[in-house]
DNA sequence: TTAATATATCGCAATGATACGATTAATGTT
DNA sequence: AACATTAATCGTATCATTGCGATATATTAA
Protein backbone atom coordinates (compact mmCIF):
# COMPACT_ATOMS: atom_id res chain seq x y z
CA UNK A 1 0.00 0.00 0.00
CA UNK A 2 2.90 2.31 0.59
CA UNK A 3 1.34 3.99 3.59
CA UNK A 4 3.17 3.85 6.88
CA UNK A 5 0.82 2.66 9.61
CA UNK A 6 1.80 5.47 11.95
CA UNK A 7 -1.20 5.11 14.20
CA UNK A 8 -0.19 1.61 15.21
CA UNK A 9 3.06 2.70 16.79
CA UNK A 10 3.87 4.69 19.90
CA UNK A 11 4.43 8.41 19.88
CA UNK A 12 8.07 7.88 20.78
CA UNK A 13 8.61 5.43 17.96
CA UNK A 14 7.08 7.85 15.50
CA UNK A 15 9.10 10.75 16.85
CA UNK A 16 12.42 8.96 16.48
CA UNK A 17 11.44 7.81 12.99
CA UNK A 18 10.39 11.32 11.98
CA UNK A 19 13.63 12.87 13.15
CA UNK A 20 15.66 10.13 11.51
CA UNK A 21 13.81 10.63 8.26
CA UNK A 22 14.73 14.30 8.24
CA UNK A 23 18.38 13.24 8.50
CA UNK A 24 18.06 10.51 5.91
CA UNK A 25 19.53 12.39 2.97
CA UNK A 26 23.16 13.45 2.43
CA UNK A 27 22.10 16.86 1.13
CA UNK A 28 20.33 17.64 4.39
CA UNK A 29 23.34 16.46 6.37
CA UNK A 30 25.52 18.70 4.21
CA UNK A 31 23.22 21.65 4.91
CA UNK A 32 23.37 21.05 8.66
CA UNK A 33 27.14 20.60 8.63
CA UNK A 34 27.55 23.82 6.70
CA UNK A 35 25.35 25.75 9.11
CA UNK A 36 27.31 24.31 12.03
CA UNK A 37 30.68 25.08 10.46
CA UNK A 38 29.92 28.68 9.64
CA UNK A 39 29.14 29.51 13.24
CA UNK A 40 26.48 31.95 12.12
CA UNK A 41 23.43 32.41 9.97
CA UNK A 42 23.84 31.69 6.30
CA UNK A 43 22.30 34.29 4.07
CA UNK A 44 22.04 33.21 0.49
CA UNK A 45 25.05 31.21 -0.54
CA UNK A 46 23.69 27.79 0.26
CA UNK A 47 22.81 26.80 -3.29
CA UNK A 48 26.39 27.33 -4.44
CA UNK A 49 27.61 24.99 -1.72
CA UNK A 50 25.51 22.06 -2.83
CA UNK A 51 25.63 19.98 -6.01
CA UNK A 52 21.91 20.41 -6.58
CA UNK A 53 19.59 22.78 -8.39
CA UNK A 54 18.04 25.71 -6.55
CA UNK A 55 14.60 24.12 -6.49
CA UNK A 56 15.97 20.95 -4.95
CA UNK A 57 17.93 22.77 -2.27
CA UNK A 58 14.84 24.76 -1.40
CA UNK A 59 12.90 21.53 -1.02
CA UNK A 60 15.47 20.05 1.36
CA UNK A 61 15.45 23.27 3.38
CA UNK A 62 11.69 23.01 3.56
CA UNK A 63 11.92 19.54 5.07
CA UNK A 64 14.39 20.64 7.70
CA UNK A 65 12.16 23.61 8.48
CA UNK A 66 9.10 21.35 8.68
CA UNK A 67 10.43 19.57 11.75
CA UNK A 68 11.81 22.82 13.16
CA UNK A 69 15.47 21.89 12.94
CA UNK A 70 16.32 25.08 11.07
CA UNK A 71 14.64 28.45 10.82
CA UNK A 72 14.77 31.03 8.08
CA UNK A 73 14.57 34.79 8.43
CA UNK A 74 13.95 37.03 5.46
CA UNK A 75 16.78 39.50 5.10
CA UNK A 76 16.35 41.70 2.08
CA UNK A 77 16.25 39.65 -1.09
CA UNK A 78 17.76 36.62 0.57
CA UNK A 79 16.87 34.40 3.51
CA UNK A 80 19.11 33.73 6.50
CA UNK A 81 19.15 30.20 7.82
CA UNK A 82 20.00 29.10 11.34
CA UNK A 83 19.93 25.85 13.22
CA UNK A 84 17.33 26.06 15.95
CA UNK A 85 19.28 25.32 19.09
CA UNK A 86 16.35 23.97 21.09
CA UNK A 87 15.25 21.56 18.40
CA UNK A 88 18.82 20.57 17.71
CA UNK A 89 19.25 19.52 21.32
CA UNK A 90 15.87 17.81 21.37
CA UNK A 91 16.70 15.70 18.34
CA UNK A 92 20.08 14.88 19.85
CA UNK A 93 18.46 13.86 23.13
CA UNK A 94 15.79 11.74 21.48
CA UNK A 95 18.40 9.84 19.49
CA UNK A 96 20.70 9.60 22.47
CA UNK A 97 17.89 8.26 24.59
CA UNK A 98 17.46 5.33 22.22
CA UNK A 99 21.16 4.66 21.86
CA UNK A 100 21.97 5.00 25.53
CA UNK A 101 20.39 1.59 26.09
CA UNK A 102 23.09 -1.00 26.54
CA UNK A 103 23.12 -3.97 24.22
CA UNK A 104 22.75 -6.88 26.58
CA UNK A 105 23.08 -9.61 24.00
CA UNK A 106 26.75 -10.48 23.67
CA UNK A 107 28.56 -12.36 20.95
CA UNK A 108 28.17 -15.68 22.69
CA UNK A 109 24.41 -15.59 23.24
CA UNK A 110 23.33 -16.94 19.87
CA UNK B 1 14.43 11.99 -11.25
CA UNK B 2 14.00 10.35 -7.89
CA UNK B 3 17.63 9.26 -7.71
CA UNK B 4 19.74 10.49 -4.84
CA UNK B 5 23.02 11.92 -6.13
CA UNK B 6 25.06 9.99 -3.64
CA UNK B 7 28.35 10.41 -5.45
CA UNK B 8 28.24 14.17 -5.07
CA UNK B 9 28.38 14.08 -1.28
CA UNK B 10 31.08 13.08 1.17
CA UNK B 11 31.40 9.62 2.60
CA UNK B 12 30.51 10.93 6.03
CA UNK B 13 27.38 12.64 4.77
CA UNK B 14 26.26 9.47 3.05
CA UNK B 15 27.03 7.38 6.11
CA UNK B 16 24.95 9.52 8.43
CA UNK B 17 22.13 9.58 5.90
CA UNK B 18 22.25 5.80 5.45
CA UNK B 19 22.10 5.13 9.16
CA UNK B 20 19.32 7.67 9.61
CA UNK B 21 17.34 6.07 6.82
CA UNK B 22 17.51 2.71 8.57
CA UNK B 23 15.97 4.37 11.62
CA UNK B 24 13.37 6.27 9.63
CA UNK B 25 10.42 3.97 10.23
CA UNK B 26 8.52 3.41 13.48
CA UNK B 27 8.38 -0.35 12.90
CA UNK B 28 12.16 -0.55 12.82
CA UNK B 29 12.40 1.56 15.96
CA UNK B 30 9.91 -0.78 17.59
CA UNK B 31 12.00 -3.77 16.60
CA UNK B 32 15.15 -2.24 18.04
CA UNK B 33 13.39 -1.21 21.26
CA UNK B 34 12.02 -4.71 21.66
CA UNK B 35 15.41 -6.29 21.16
CA UNK B 36 16.90 -3.88 23.70
CA UNK B 37 14.15 -4.46 26.22
CA UNK B 38 14.32 -8.23 26.12
CA UNK B 39 17.98 -8.23 27.09
CA UNK B 40 18.59 -11.26 24.91
CA UNK B 41 18.11 -12.73 21.49
CA UNK B 42 14.59 -12.91 20.22
CA UNK B 43 13.70 -16.20 18.67
CA UNK B 44 10.47 -16.13 16.77
CA UNK B 45 7.91 -14.00 18.50
CA UNK B 46 8.66 -10.76 16.74
CA UNK B 47 5.75 -10.84 14.32
CA UNK B 48 3.23 -11.05 17.16
CA UNK B 49 4.73 -7.93 18.72
CA UNK B 50 4.21 -5.75 15.67
CA UNK B 51 1.01 -4.54 14.00
CA UNK B 52 2.19 -5.72 10.61
CA UNK B 53 1.99 -8.80 8.44
CA UNK B 54 4.76 -11.38 8.57
CA UNK B 55 6.08 -10.44 5.15
CA UNK B 56 6.34 -6.78 6.13
CA UNK B 57 8.14 -7.52 9.39
CA UNK B 58 10.58 -9.71 7.50
CA UNK B 59 11.27 -6.84 5.15
CA UNK B 60 12.01 -4.41 7.97
CA UNK B 61 14.31 -6.97 9.56
CA UNK B 62 16.07 -7.29 6.24
CA UNK B 63 16.75 -3.56 6.14
CA UNK B 64 18.19 -3.56 9.64
CA UNK B 65 20.32 -6.54 8.74
CA UNK B 66 21.48 -4.83 5.54
CA UNK B 67 23.34 -2.14 7.46
CA UNK B 68 24.49 -4.65 10.06
CA UNK B 69 22.54 -3.23 12.97
CA UNK B 70 21.02 -6.61 13.79
CA UNK B 71 22.08 -10.15 13.06
CA UNK B 72 20.01 -13.28 12.74
CA UNK B 73 21.01 -16.80 13.65
CA UNK B 74 19.01 -19.78 12.49
CA UNK B 75 17.85 -21.79 15.48
CA UNK B 76 15.73 -24.73 14.48
CA UNK B 77 12.66 -23.56 12.61
CA UNK B 78 12.98 -20.01 13.85
CA UNK B 79 15.60 -17.30 13.65
CA UNK B 80 17.16 -15.57 16.64
CA UNK B 81 17.73 -11.86 16.30
CA UNK B 82 20.29 -9.77 18.16
CA UNK B 83 21.46 -6.23 18.02
CA UNK B 84 25.05 -6.15 16.85
CA UNK B 85 26.85 -4.35 19.63
CA UNK B 86 29.69 -3.02 17.51
CA UNK B 87 27.41 -1.59 14.86
CA UNK B 88 25.07 -0.22 17.48
CA UNK B 89 27.90 1.74 19.03
CA UNK B 90 29.17 2.85 15.65
CA UNK B 91 25.79 4.24 14.64
CA UNK B 92 25.50 5.94 18.01
CA UNK B 93 28.95 7.49 17.64
CA UNK B 94 28.34 8.67 14.08
CA UNK B 95 25.12 10.40 15.11
CA UNK B 96 26.67 11.74 18.28
CA UNK B 97 29.60 13.11 16.32
CA UNK B 98 27.23 15.24 14.27
CA UNK B 99 25.15 16.37 17.20
CA UNK B 100 28.08 17.10 19.48
CA UNK B 101 28.74 20.25 17.47
CA UNK B 102 27.53 23.27 19.38
CA UNK B 103 25.01 25.54 17.73
CA UNK B 104 26.82 28.85 17.58
CA UNK B 105 23.95 30.86 16.15
CA UNK B 106 21.92 32.22 19.04
CA UNK B 107 18.44 33.67 19.10
CA UNK B 108 19.65 37.21 18.59
CA UNK B 109 21.77 36.62 15.51
CA UNK B 110 19.06 36.84 12.89
C1' DT C 1 8.15 -39.65 3.85
C1' DT C 2 4.65 -36.51 5.11
C1' DA C 3 2.87 -32.80 7.75
C1' DA C 4 3.53 -28.77 10.50
C1' DT C 5 5.87 -24.54 11.64
C1' DA C 6 8.57 -20.45 10.77
C1' DT C 7 10.96 -17.30 7.92
C1' DA C 8 12.29 -15.38 3.43
C1' DT C 9 11.24 -14.01 -1.10
C1' DC C 10 8.21 -12.80 -5.10
C1' DG C 11 4.89 -10.01 -7.32
C1' DC C 12 1.96 -6.44 -7.22
C1' DA C 13 -0.34 -1.95 -5.92
C1' DA C 14 -0.23 2.45 -3.79
C1' DT C 15 2.18 6.20 -1.81
C1' DG C 16 6.44 8.83 -0.87
C1' DA C 17 10.94 10.90 -2.04
C1' DT C 18 14.12 12.99 -5.19
C1' DA C 19 15.35 16.10 -8.80
C1' DC C 20 14.85 19.89 -11.88
C1' DG C 21 12.97 23.34 -15.34
C1' DA C 22 9.68 26.84 -15.32
C1' DT C 23 7.08 30.03 -12.99
C1' DT C 24 5.67 32.94 -9.21
C1' DA C 25 6.46 36.04 -5.29
C1' DA C 26 8.99 39.32 -2.70
C1' DT C 27 12.44 42.60 -2.03
C1' DG C 28 16.03 45.84 -3.45
C1' DT C 29 18.05 48.79 -7.13
C1' DT C 30 18.13 52.10 -10.86
C1' DA D 1 7.78 52.17 -12.83
C1' DA D 2 11.00 48.83 -14.68
C1' DC D 3 14.52 45.70 -13.79
C1' DA D 4 17.45 42.51 -11.16
C1' DT D 5 18.07 39.21 -7.58
C1' DT D 6 16.74 35.61 -4.58
C1' DA D 7 13.93 32.08 -2.77
C1' DA D 8 9.56 29.43 -2.87
C1' DT D 9 6.28 26.87 -5.32
C1' DC D 10 4.32 24.20 -9.28
C1' DG D 11 4.31 20.54 -12.46
C1' DT D 12 6.25 16.47 -13.87
C1' DA D 13 9.22 12.35 -14.40
C1' DT D 14 11.49 8.66 -12.13
C1' DC D 15 12.86 5.74 -8.58
C1' DA D 16 12.20 4.15 -3.65
C1' DT D 17 9.42 2.63 0.18
C1' DT D 18 5.70 0.40 2.35
C1' DG D 19 2.50 -3.27 2.76
C1' DC D 20 0.53 -7.70 2.05
C1' DG D 21 -1.08 -12.11 -0.12
C1' DA D 22 0.93 -15.95 -2.18
C1' DT D 23 4.63 -18.86 -2.67
C1' DA D 24 9.14 -20.87 -1.74
C1' DT D 25 12.46 -22.62 1.54
C1' DA D 26 14.15 -24.85 5.58
C1' DT D 27 13.83 -27.26 9.76
C1' DT D 28 11.36 -30.10 13.16
C1' DA D 29 7.80 -33.44 14.38
C1' DA D 30 4.99 -37.43 13.56
Amino acid sequence: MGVTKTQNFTQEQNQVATYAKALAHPARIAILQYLLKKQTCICGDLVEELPLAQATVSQHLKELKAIGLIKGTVEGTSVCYCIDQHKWEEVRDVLLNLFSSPVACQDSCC
Side-chain angles (χ1 to χ4, degrees), chain A:
Chain A
M1 293 187 185
V3 183
T4 298
K5 299 178 120 185
T6 304
Q7 72 283 1
N8 292 326
F9 296 97
T10 69
Q11 197 180 353
E12 189 196 354
Q13 287 157 357
N14 281 302
Q15 189 183 41
V16 176
T18 300
Y19 289 165
K21 190 183 279 188
L23 301 173
H25 195 288
R28 295 195 287 275
I29 301 300
I31 289 170
L32 293 172
Q33 285 178 334
Y34 188 70
L35 289 176
L36 286 169
K37 194 182 73 176
K38 282 293 178 178
Q39 301 273 322
T40 179
C41 302
I42 298 305
C43 302
D45 61 341
L46 248 172
V47 175
E48 289 81 46
E49 293 294 322
L50 294 169
L52 296 169
Q54 182 265 325
T56 310
V57 173
S58 188
Q59 208 168 314
H60 284 302
L61 288 169
K62 190 180 179 183
E63 286 183 61
L64 290 172
K65 268 191 287 187
I67 66 157
L69 205 45
I70 66 173
K71 51 187 175 185
T73 315
V74 176
E75 195 83 19
T77 52
S78 62
V79 177
C80 295
Y81 287 105
C82 280
I83 290 179
D84 184 293
Q85 187 176 12
H86 278 94
K87 199 70 183 186
W88 182 255
E89 289 168 359
E90 187 193 319
V91 173
R92 182 195 62 198
D93 292 346
V94 164
L95 292 174
L96 214 60
N97 182 51
L98 173 62
F99 280 92
S100 66
S101 308
V103 177
C105 189
Q106 300 300 321
D107 290 338
S108 55
C109 93
C110 55

